[in-house]
Amino acid sequence: MNNQENDTVSREKRFLFDLQGFLILRNVLSEAECTEYLEVLQRLEPQTYEDKWMKSAGTGRPTRETSRQHQIRLNGLPRLDSVFDQLIAQPKILSYLHEFVGQPQLINTWSISKSCGAQTGGWHRGVPTTDYSYRNDVLRSRMLNVVYFLTNNGPDDGCIVALPGGHKSNIDLEWNKYSGLQLPGAVPITGKAGDVLLLSETVLHDGLPKTTETVRSNLYYNYVHAHYNVMTREPGNCHHFYFPPEIRQRFNPKQLELTSWMELARRKH
Ligand SMILES: O=C(O)CCC(=O)C(=O)O
Protein backbone atom coordinates (compact mmCIF):
# COMPACT_ATOMS: atom_id res chain seq x y z
CA MET A 1 0.00 0.00 0.00
CA ASN A 2 1.39 3.43 -0.80
CA ASN A 3 1.04 6.36 1.60
CA GLN A 4 -1.40 8.19 -0.63
CA GLU A 5 -3.91 5.33 -0.47
CA ASN A 6 -3.48 5.26 3.30
CA ASP A 7 -3.85 9.03 3.71
CA THR A 8 -7.18 9.30 1.95
CA VAL A 9 -9.11 7.55 4.74
CA SER A 10 -9.65 10.24 7.34
CA ARG A 11 -9.26 9.64 11.07
CA GLU A 12 -12.99 10.33 11.48
CA LYS A 13 -13.86 7.58 9.02
CA ARG A 14 -11.48 5.15 10.72
CA PHE A 15 -13.05 6.09 14.07
CA LEU A 16 -16.56 5.40 12.77
CA PHE A 17 -15.66 2.15 11.04
CA ASP A 18 -13.94 0.89 14.17
CA LEU A 19 -16.89 1.98 16.35
CA GLN A 20 -19.71 0.55 14.22
CA GLY A 21 -18.01 -2.09 12.08
CA PHE A 22 -19.34 -0.39 8.98
CA LEU A 23 -19.24 2.89 7.12
CA ILE A 24 -21.49 4.45 4.49
CA LEU A 25 -19.92 6.46 1.67
CA ARG A 26 -22.28 8.80 -0.15
CA ASN A 27 -22.45 9.44 -3.93
CA VAL A 28 -19.77 7.00 -5.00
CA LEU A 29 -21.52 5.98 -8.23
CA SER A 30 -23.16 8.48 -10.58
CA GLU A 31 -26.77 8.15 -11.73
CA ALA A 32 -25.49 7.09 -15.17
CA GLU A 33 -23.35 4.32 -13.65
CA CYS A 34 -26.28 3.00 -11.56
CA THR A 35 -28.48 2.98 -14.66
CA GLU A 36 -25.83 1.12 -16.65
CA TYR A 37 -25.55 -1.66 -14.02
CA LEU A 38 -29.32 -1.84 -13.56
CA GLU A 39 -29.89 -2.29 -17.29
CA VAL A 40 -27.42 -5.18 -17.36
CA LEU A 41 -29.07 -6.79 -14.31
CA GLN A 42 -32.49 -6.44 -15.93
CA ARG A 43 -31.16 -8.36 -18.95
CA LEU A 44 -29.40 -11.05 -16.87
CA GLU A 45 -32.01 -11.72 -14.19
CA PRO A 46 -34.71 -13.38 -16.34
CA GLN A 47 -32.19 -15.68 -18.07
CA THR A 48 -31.61 -19.35 -17.25
CA TYR A 49 -28.09 -20.62 -16.58
CA GLU A 50 -26.93 -24.15 -17.32
CA ASP A 51 -24.49 -24.37 -14.40
CA LYS A 52 -22.83 -27.48 -15.82
CA TRP A 53 -20.10 -27.09 -13.19
CA MET A 54 -22.61 -28.01 -10.47
CA LYS A 55 -22.92 -31.51 -11.87
CA SER A 56 -19.21 -32.21 -11.41
CA ALA A 57 -19.02 -30.33 -8.09
CA GLY A 58 -22.14 -32.19 -6.89
CA THR A 59 -23.10 -29.15 -4.81
CA GLY A 60 -23.00 -25.38 -4.81
CA ARG A 61 -25.17 -22.33 -5.34
CA PRO A 62 -26.55 -21.86 -8.84
CA THR A 63 -25.74 -18.69 -10.78
CA ARG A 64 -29.33 -17.53 -10.45
CA GLU A 65 -30.90 -18.06 -7.03
CA THR A 66 -34.62 -17.60 -6.53
CA SER A 67 -35.16 -19.74 -3.44
CA ARG A 68 -36.28 -16.67 -1.49
CA GLN A 69 -39.59 -15.32 -2.66
CA HIS A 70 -39.58 -11.92 -4.40
CA GLN A 71 -35.79 -11.93 -4.60
CA ILE A 72 -33.29 -12.75 -7.37
CA ARG A 73 -29.63 -13.27 -6.55
CA LEU A 74 -26.98 -13.61 -9.29
CA ASN A 75 -23.61 -15.04 -8.32
CA GLY A 76 -20.19 -14.48 -9.97
CA LEU A 77 -20.88 -11.13 -11.66
CA PRO A 78 -17.82 -10.71 -13.96
CA ARG A 79 -18.55 -14.17 -15.40
CA LEU A 80 -21.93 -12.80 -16.48
CA ASP A 81 -20.94 -9.44 -17.99
CA SER A 82 -17.70 -7.46 -18.31
CA VAL A 83 -19.45 -4.29 -17.10
CA PHE A 84 -18.93 -5.60 -13.57
CA ASP A 85 -15.12 -5.64 -13.92
CA GLN A 86 -14.87 -1.92 -13.16
CA LEU A 87 -16.09 -2.31 -9.58
CA ILE A 88 -13.35 -4.82 -8.65
CA ALA A 89 -10.91 -1.96 -8.08
CA GLN A 90 -13.31 0.99 -7.91
CA PRO A 91 -10.95 4.00 -7.52
CA LYS A 92 -12.97 5.66 -4.72
CA ILE A 93 -13.00 2.42 -2.71
CA LEU A 94 -9.38 1.31 -3.07
CA SER A 95 -7.97 3.30 -0.15
CA TYR A 96 -10.66 1.84 2.15
CA LEU A 97 -9.90 -1.70 1.02
CA HIS A 98 -6.25 -1.25 1.92
CA GLU A 99 -6.99 0.58 5.16
CA PHE A 100 -9.58 -1.89 6.48
CA VAL A 101 -8.44 -5.23 5.01
CA GLY A 102 -4.67 -4.77 4.61
CA GLN A 103 -3.90 -6.95 1.58
CA PRO A 104 -7.31 -7.20 -0.09
CA GLN A 105 -8.30 -9.99 -2.46
CA LEU A 106 -11.70 -10.32 -4.08
CA ILE A 107 -13.43 -13.51 -2.93
CA ASN A 108 -17.03 -13.20 -4.13
CA THR A 109 -19.41 -11.04 -6.13
CA TRP A 110 -23.20 -11.12 -6.31
CA SER A 111 -26.30 -9.00 -6.87
CA ILE A 112 -29.60 -9.03 -5.01
CA SER A 113 -32.78 -7.54 -6.44
CA LYS A 114 -35.83 -7.54 -4.19
CA SER A 115 -39.41 -6.77 -5.01
CA CYS A 116 -42.46 -6.09 -2.83
CA GLY A 117 -43.09 -8.98 -0.43
CA ALA A 118 -39.44 -10.00 0.10
CA GLN A 119 -38.86 -11.04 3.71
CA THR A 120 -35.88 -11.08 6.07
CA GLY A 121 -33.26 -13.75 5.43
CA GLY A 122 -31.90 -14.36 8.94
CA TRP A 123 -29.18 -12.73 11.00
CA HIS A 124 -25.67 -13.83 10.02
CA ARG A 125 -22.02 -12.81 9.82
CA GLY A 126 -19.52 -14.00 7.20
CA VAL A 127 -16.64 -14.51 9.63
CA PRO A 128 -16.34 -14.60 13.45
CA THR A 129 -15.69 -11.53 15.59
CA THR A 130 -12.13 -12.77 16.13
CA ASP A 131 -11.54 -11.78 12.50
CA TYR A 132 -11.74 -8.10 13.46
CA SER A 133 -8.83 -6.48 15.24
CA TYR A 134 -7.40 -3.11 16.22
CA ARG A 135 -3.71 -3.17 17.17
CA ASN A 136 -0.98 -0.52 17.05
CA ASP A 137 -3.39 1.88 15.35
CA VAL A 138 -4.08 -0.64 12.56
CA LEU A 139 -7.66 -1.76 11.80
CA ARG A 140 -8.15 -5.17 10.25
CA SER A 141 -11.34 -6.78 9.04
CA ARG A 142 -10.45 -10.13 7.54
CA MET A 143 -13.53 -9.96 5.31
CA LEU A 144 -15.09 -6.74 4.04
CA ASN A 145 -18.23 -6.49 1.95
CA VAL A 146 -18.51 -3.49 -0.37
CA VAL A 147 -22.20 -3.00 -1.16
CA TYR A 148 -23.13 -0.69 -4.04
CA PHE A 149 -26.68 0.67 -3.84
CA LEU A 150 -27.98 0.88 -7.43
CA THR A 151 -31.41 2.02 -6.26
CA ASN A 152 -32.56 3.82 -3.11
CA ASN A 153 -32.35 1.65 0.01
CA GLY A 154 -35.05 3.25 2.18
CA PRO A 155 -36.22 1.61 5.45
CA ASP A 156 -39.15 -0.14 3.69
CA ASP A 157 -37.19 -1.01 0.53
CA GLY A 158 -35.72 -4.21 1.99
CA CYS A 159 -32.53 -2.41 3.00
CA ILE A 160 -29.74 -4.10 4.92
CA VAL A 161 -30.09 -4.12 8.71
CA ALA A 162 -26.98 -4.35 10.90
CA LEU A 163 -25.95 -4.42 14.52
CA PRO A 164 -23.55 -1.50 15.05
CA GLY A 165 -20.64 -2.74 17.15
CA GLY A 166 -21.61 -6.34 16.36
CA HIS A 167 -17.99 -7.00 15.36
CA LYS A 168 -17.02 -6.62 19.04
CA SER A 169 -20.03 -8.29 20.61
CA ASN A 170 -19.21 -10.89 23.28
CA ILE A 171 -22.60 -12.30 24.22
CA ASP A 172 -24.54 -14.38 21.71
CA LEU A 173 -28.34 -14.46 21.57
CA GLU A 174 -30.38 -16.96 19.62
CA TRP A 175 -30.11 -14.67 16.61
CA ASN A 176 -32.86 -16.26 14.59
CA LYS A 177 -35.41 -15.75 17.35
CA TYR A 178 -35.28 -12.09 16.31
CA SER A 179 -36.61 -10.88 12.97
CA GLY A 180 -34.94 -7.76 11.57
CA LEU A 181 -35.37 -4.73 13.84
CA GLN A 182 -36.58 -6.88 16.75
CA LEU A 183 -32.92 -7.65 17.54
CA PRO A 184 -31.88 -5.20 20.30
CA GLY A 185 -29.55 -2.56 18.86
CA ALA A 186 -30.32 -3.30 15.20
CA VAL A 187 -30.44 -0.33 12.80
CA PRO A 188 -31.55 -0.07 9.15
CA ILE A 189 -28.71 0.85 6.77
CA THR A 190 -30.40 3.32 4.46
CA GLY A 191 -29.02 5.26 1.53
CA LYS A 192 -29.61 6.59 -1.95
CA ALA A 193 -28.72 5.09 -5.30
CA GLY A 194 -24.96 5.55 -5.74
CA ASP A 195 -24.10 5.20 -2.04
CA VAL A 196 -21.80 2.41 -0.83
CA LEU A 197 -21.80 0.43 2.42
CA LEU A 198 -18.45 -0.89 3.65
CA LEU A 199 -19.45 -3.69 6.02
CA SER A 200 -17.07 -5.77 8.07
CA GLU A 201 -18.39 -9.32 7.69
CA THR A 202 -17.76 -9.74 11.43
CA VAL A 203 -20.86 -7.54 12.00
CA LEU A 204 -24.20 -9.33 12.30
CA HIS A 205 -26.52 -8.29 9.49
CA ASP A 206 -29.59 -9.25 7.48
CA GLY A 207 -32.05 -7.68 5.03
CA LEU A 208 -35.35 -6.08 6.09
CA PRO A 209 -38.73 -6.92 4.51
CA LYS A 210 -39.63 -5.06 1.34
CA THR A 211 -43.03 -3.39 1.38
CA THR A 212 -42.56 -0.76 -1.35
CA GLU A 213 -43.40 -1.32 -5.01
CA THR A 214 -40.06 -0.41 -6.65
CA VAL A 215 -37.30 -3.00 -7.13
CA ARG A 216 -34.28 -2.64 -4.83
CA SER A 217 -31.00 -3.74 -6.44
CA ASN A 218 -27.57 -3.88 -4.80
CA LEU A 219 -24.19 -5.24 -5.91
CA TYR A 220 -21.93 -7.00 -3.38
CA TYR A 221 -18.12 -7.22 -3.80
CA ASN A 222 -16.64 -9.18 -0.94
CA TYR A 223 -12.89 -9.04 -0.13
CA VAL A 224 -10.68 -11.01 2.22
CA HIS A 225 -7.13 -10.59 3.46
CA ALA A 226 -4.60 -12.38 1.23
CA HIS A 227 -3.85 -14.86 4.04
CA TYR A 228 -7.44 -16.14 3.97
CA ASN A 229 -7.81 -19.44 2.12
CA VAL A 230 -10.49 -18.62 -0.42
CA MET A 231 -10.74 -22.11 -1.91
CA THR A 232 -11.56 -23.90 1.35
CA ARG A 233 -14.35 -21.55 2.42
CA GLU A 234 -17.16 -23.11 0.38
CA PRO A 235 -15.61 -25.66 -2.01
CA GLY A 236 -18.89 -25.99 -3.93
CA ASN A 237 -18.89 -22.30 -4.76
CA CYS A 238 -15.35 -21.85 -6.06
CA HIS A 239 -16.90 -21.50 -9.52
CA HIS A 240 -18.33 -18.12 -8.53
CA PHE A 241 -15.23 -17.06 -6.57
CA TYR A 242 -12.70 -17.93 -9.28
CA PHE A 243 -12.38 -16.22 -12.67
CA PRO A 244 -10.58 -18.15 -15.42
CA PRO A 245 -7.74 -16.56 -17.44
CA GLU A 246 -10.05 -15.62 -20.32
CA ILE A 247 -11.93 -13.32 -17.92
CA ARG A 248 -8.88 -11.99 -16.08
CA GLN A 249 -7.22 -11.07 -19.38
CA ARG A 250 -9.74 -8.19 -19.58
CA PHE A 251 -8.53 -6.80 -16.24
CA ASN A 252 -6.33 -3.74 -15.67
CA PRO A 253 -3.26 -4.03 -13.35
CA LYS A 254 -5.17 -3.11 -10.16
CA GLN A 255 -8.00 -5.55 -10.93
CA LEU A 256 -5.37 -8.22 -11.58
CA GLU A 257 -3.67 -7.40 -8.26
CA LEU A 258 -6.94 -7.73 -6.32
CA THR A 259 -7.63 -11.13 -7.91
CA SER A 260 -4.05 -12.47 -7.90
CA TRP A 261 -4.96 -15.50 -5.71
CA MET A 262 -6.67 -16.87 -8.82
CA GLU A 263 -3.26 -17.44 -10.42
CA LEU A 264 -2.47 -19.90 -7.63
CA ALA A 265 -5.70 -21.91 -7.83
CA ARG A 266 -4.82 -25.31 -9.28
CA ARG A 267 -8.27 -26.57 -10.19
CA LYS A 268 -10.33 -25.42 -13.12
CA HIS A 269 -13.71 -24.15 -11.91
O1 LIG B 1 -29.31 -6.97 0.92
C1 LIG B 1 -29.86 -7.72 1.70
O2 LIG B 1 -31.07 -7.80 1.78
C2 LIG B 1 -29.05 -8.56 2.67
C3 LIG B 1 -27.84 -9.11 2.03
C4 LIG B 1 -27.04 -10.00 2.90
O3 LIG B 1 -27.20 -10.05 4.09
C5 LIG B 1 -25.99 -10.81 2.30
O4 LIG B 1 -25.91 -10.86 1.06
O5 LIG B 1 -25.21 -11.43 3.06
Side-chain angles (χ1 to χ4, degrees), residues 81-230:
D81 197 290
S82 59
V83 74
F84 298 116
D85 297 359
Q86 20 187 347
L87 294 182
I88 292 173
Q90 214 287 343
K92 293 179 191 161
I93 301 298
L94 276 180
S95 53
Y96 294 91
L97 288 179
H98 288 283
E99 183 69 35
F100 297 156
V101 182
Q103 296 175 48
Q105 290 287 299
L106 182 71
I107 173 172
N108 201 5
T109 53
W110 66 95
S111 63
I112 297 180
S113 292
K114 287 179 172 178
S115 48
C116 188
Q119 294 301 317
T120 56
W123 284 97
H124 60 283
R125 41 164 74 96
V127 287
T129 52
T130 45
D131 279 346
Y132 181 85
S133 68
Y134 174 82
R135 277 193 205 102
N136 303 325
D137 206 27
V138 174
L139 306 178
R140 282 293 170 264
S141 179
R142 208 161 174 225
M143 186 180 274
L144 183 80
N145 207 343
V146 180
V147 185
Y148 294 89
F149 298 177
L150 302 184
T151 55
N152 291 346
N153 275 235
D156 301 317
D157 291 331
C159 69
I160 294 175
V161 59
L163 185 68
H167 57 318
K168 298 178 182 175
S169 139
N170 295 313
I171 297 173
D172 285 350
L173 298 175
E174 277 185 64
W175 307 120
N176 285 320
K177 274 175 66 178
Y178 303 85
S179 177
L181 293 169
Q182 288 170 359
L183 182 69
V187 299
I189 309 291
T190 57
K192 301 270 185 222
D195 293 348
V196 167
L197 166 68
L198 304 172
L199 176 78
S200 170
E201 280 280 354
T202 57
V203 171
L204 275 163
H205 62 280
D206 190 10
L208 287 180
K210 181 153 195 352
T211 56
T212 53
E213 289 302 325
T214 50
V215 173
R216 188 228 67 176
S217 294
N218 290 345
L219 302 177
Y220 303 75
Y221 282 63
N222 203 10
Y223 299 80
V224 286
H225 188 277
H227 294 176
Y228 189 93
N229 190 332
V230 174

Side-chain angles (χ1 to χ4, degrees), residues 243-263:
F243 307 141
E246 57 273 25
I247 289 181
R248 290 186 72 245
Q249 74 183 3
R250 305 190 301 239
F251 290 1
N252 66 29
K254 200 69 202 175
Q255 292 163 351
L256 285 172
E257 184 189 314
L258 292 180
T259 57
S260 59
W261 69 267
M262 298 179 192
E263 287 158 28

